[in-house]
């Protein structure tokens, strides 16, 4: 039975390929980059009621773009403040 809290399959699928889970990567990144990677790596691997699989994959990729754009904004704001 899948452990949906500690090891959901949409985050652990990499373990079979390379021996790591998504959290093993994201815990070493800041908030924005960690979330972007999380959504990129789960895209196409998570189903959700009310979504077809393609719509869910698109949503996850849009979330990744949101976090990448937020990181870019923070870096630009930092440059402007200097």
């Amino acid at each position: 039975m899948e452990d949906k809290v500690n090891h959901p399959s949409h985050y652990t699928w990499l373990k079979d390929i390379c021996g790591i889970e998504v959290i093993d990567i994201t815990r070493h990144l800041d908030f924005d980059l960690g979330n972007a990677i999380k959504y990129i790596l789960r895209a196409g691997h998570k189903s959700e009621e009310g979504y077809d699989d393609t719509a869910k994959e698109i949503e996850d990729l849009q979330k990744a773009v949101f976090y990448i754009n937020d990181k870019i904004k923070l870096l630009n704001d930092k440059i402007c403040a200097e």
Side-chain angles (χ1 to χ4, degrees), residues 58-74:
I58 290 168
E59 180 184 82
D60 282 343
L61 294 172
Q62 289 172 327
K63 288 177 181 180
V65 169
F66 169 85
Y67 285 107
I68 292 168
N69 284 331
D70 191 58
K71 179 67 176 184
I72 292 168
K73 181 186 179 312
L74 290 172

Side-chain angles (χ1 to χ4, degrees), residues 9-11 13 38-48 52-61:
S9 62
H10 55 275
Y11 291 134
W13 64 272
K38 173 184 77 172
Y39 285 116
I40 288 168
L41 291 176
R42 87 172 196 188
H45 297 277
K46 183 175 182 186
S47 296
E48 189 171 319
D52 68 31
D53 288 343
T54 301
K56 184 62 185 164
E57 184 173 5
I58 290 168
E59 180 184 82
D60 282 343
L61 294 172

Side-chain angles (χ1 to χ4, degrees), residues 10-48:
H10 55 275
Y11 291 134
T12 59
W13 64 272
L14 272 176
K15 197 164 191 107
D16 293 334
I17 298 170
C18 59
I20 60 172
E21 293 185 27
V22 172
I23 195 169
D24 296 324
I25 299 167
T26 61
R27 67 173 35 125
H28 300 285
L29 303 170
D30 69 20
F31 182 79
D32 282 323
L33 294 179
N35 275 311
I37 294 297
K38 173 184 77 172
Y39 285 116
I40 288 168
L41 291 176
R42 87 172 196 188
H45 297 277
K46 183 175 182 186
S47 296
E48 189 171 319

